[in-house]
Amino acid sequence: MSKQGVTCAVTKDKKPEVTNMPTARLNVIGAGRVGRTFMRLLKETSDYSIQDVMSSNFRSAQEATDLIGAGRAVQDYAQLKPADLSLLTVPDTQISEVAQKLSDTFDVEAHGEQPSVAVHCSGFFPADEMAPLRKLNWHLASIHPVLSFTDPVAAQQQFKGALCGLEGDEEAIKTVRRLVDRLGADSFPINSETKSLYHAAAVFSNNFTVVLQAIANEAWTQAGVPSEIARKLNKTLLQGTIENVIAEGPRNALTGPAARGDTYVVTRQGEDVSKWHPAAGQIYKAMSELAKELKTRGTTGS
C-alpha cells in the first residue's frame, strides 16, 4: 500500500518502510549572519547536506564551517562543486555580481542540463536579480525571512514558526517552499512587481520603529529624565503599544494629541522638537499629520 508522494515497502509482519528522498546538496555563498543562521538550521536536518561554503573573505567561510561543523570552505567560484541548491546570503547589492560570476564559472555543457535552483534572501530585489544564471538553465527564487538576524543563534531559534516571503520561478518556489517547511517556518507568496513596497512595509514595521525609540530616548535625556527611568518608560510604552495594535488594530490603538485633534499642542510641540532636533521635528510634523488622517479616516491616506 502506498500514499501519493511516499513509497512504502511492505513485508509480512513488518511495518511499512518509507523510502527517504535523496539528500539535497547545498552550497552557501555568503558566510555572514544570515548564511550562518541557515547553516545552523540546515545542519539539524537530514534532507539537506551543506556542501561548499564561500564568502568574500575566506577566513569568514572557514570560521563558519568550523563553528557549525558542516560544509567545506572554498576560496573561489571554481572550487564550488555542482549543487542542487545554491543559497546566496550576500548583501543585496552583491547578488547580481555573484550570479554573474557563478554563470561565468560553471560550465554550461557539464552542468546546464542538471536541475539546480539558486535562491537569494533579499527582501527588496526579485529573483531575477540572478538573471545571469538562466543561461545555465537554473531556476531562480528568493526567500525573505521576516525576522531579525542580529544574532544567528537567536535567529535560529526564532526561525521556527517565522514567516518567509517567496517569489520567483514556479519550479524554484516549489523547492524553496519544501526547504522552508523542513526548517519549521511558514511561507507566503510575494508579488515580484511590488516587492519593493512589500519590503518598505517591513522597514516601517521594524527598522523605523527602532529609530523612533532612539529619538524618544534622546528626547527624554534632553528633557532631563534619568536614563533608568527612560528605559522603563520605553519598555512600558512599547509593550503596551504592541499589545494594543495586535488586539485593536492601528486606528483604535492610536492615542496622543494628533489623534485627539489637539492642534495647539501639536503645533507648539512640533516647534519645540524642531529647535532641539530639526530632522526629528520634520518627522514629528509628518507623523502627526498621518496620525490625524488615520484616526479620522482609518487610513494614512494611501
Side-chain angles (χ1 to χ4, degrees):
M1 182 178 181
S2 64
K3 294 182 180 181
Q4 185 177 3
V6 178
T7 303
C8 300
V10 182
T11 57
K12 188 176 181 181
D13 299 327
K14 290 185 178 181
K15 294 180 180 180
E17 298 177 358
V18 178
T19 303
N20 293 326
M21 296 290 290
T23 301
R25 301 163 301 165
L26 190 142
N27 287 342
V28 179
I29 303 174
R33 289 174 294 187
V34 177
R36 293 186 185 196
T37 299
F38 272 101
M39 288 174 66
R40 288 177 181 276
L41 291 162
L42 289 161
K43 189 186 175 185
E44 296 180 349
T45 77
S46 58
D47 300 343
Y48 297 89
S49 173
I50 301 173
Q51 183 175 250
D52 293 330
V53 179
M54 182 180 164
S55 190
S56 57
N57 185 322
F58 176 69
R59 179 176 293 182
S60 177
Q62 188 68 68
E63 288 176 352
T65 56
D66 291 345
L67 177 66
I68 293 160
R72 177 187 69 135
V74 300
Q75 298 191 52
D76 56 59
Y77 293 91
Q79 293 179 291
L80 292 168
K81 295 190 290 289
D84 302 297
L85 178 62
S86 295
L87 182 61
L88 278 62
T89 52
V90 298
D92 288 10
T93 54
Q94 295 179 18
I95 293 171
S96 178
E97 178 185 352
V98 170
Q100 185 62 60
K101 289 181 178 178
L102 282 171
S103 177
D104 293 341
T105 302
F106 276 74
D107 179 34
V108 122
E109 294 296 327
H111 308 302
E113 297 302 321
Q114 179 178 324
S116 190
V117 169
V119 55
H120 71 63
C121 298
S122 170
F124 174 76
F125 286 111
D128 249 4
E129 188 70 2
M130 302 179 293
L133 293 171
R134 292 197 185 281
K135 83 169 190 179
L136 299 177
N137 298 323
W138 287 14
H139 300 297
L140 311 179
S142 75
I143 171 176
H144 180 238
V146 188
L147 57 94
S148 172
F149 286 90
T150 303
D151 178 3
V153 176
Q156 176 190 6
Q157 297 169 346
Q158 296 166 1
F159 198 90
K160 291 177 173 56
L163 289 168
C164 296
L166 308 181
E167 62 87 30
D169 302 344
E170 183 177 351
E171 286 302 314
I173 288 177
K174 290 179 182 178
T175 298
V176 178
R177 187 179 293 119
R178 285 195 294 270
L179 173 66
V180 171
D181 290 345
R182 187 65 183 85
L183 298 182
D186 298 318
S187 60
F188 64 96
I190 301 174
N191 188 325
S192 299
E193 289 73 25
T194 56
K195 191 172 183 182
S196 177
L197 187 60
Y198 151 81
H199 189 253
V203 171
F204 276 109
S205 179
N206 182 293
N207 308 127
F208 288 168
T209 297
V210 175
V211 176
L212 291 175
Q213 302 316 303
I215 294 173
N217 282 327
E218 292 166 18
W220 274 319
T221 299
Q222 183 67 23
V225 177
S227 59
E228 65 274 13
I229 299 298
R231 284 194 295 271
K232 291 180 181 179
L233 287 170
N234 181 272
K235 179 179 179 180
T236 300
L237 288 172
L238 188 58
Q239 287 182 335
T241 298
I242 292 171
E243 292 171 1
N244 291 338
V245 169
I246 292 174
E248 304 291 341
R251 184 182 190 179
N252 291 335
L254 182 64
T255 61
R260 294 192 299 268
D262 196 336
T263 305
Y264 176 79
V265 171
V266 170
T267 301
R268 283 292 308 275
Q269 200 166 69
E271 292 172 354
D272 291 339
V273 173
S274 294
K275 291 176 184 177
W276 162 67
H277 190 318
Q282 293 178 354
I283 293 172
Y284 181 93
K285 180 179 179 180
M287 294 293 284
S288 294
E289 292 174 354
L290 292 173
K292 182 179 178 181
E293 285 291 310
L294 176 60
K295 201 66 176 180
T296 303
R297 301 173 51 200
T299 71
T300 59
S302 59

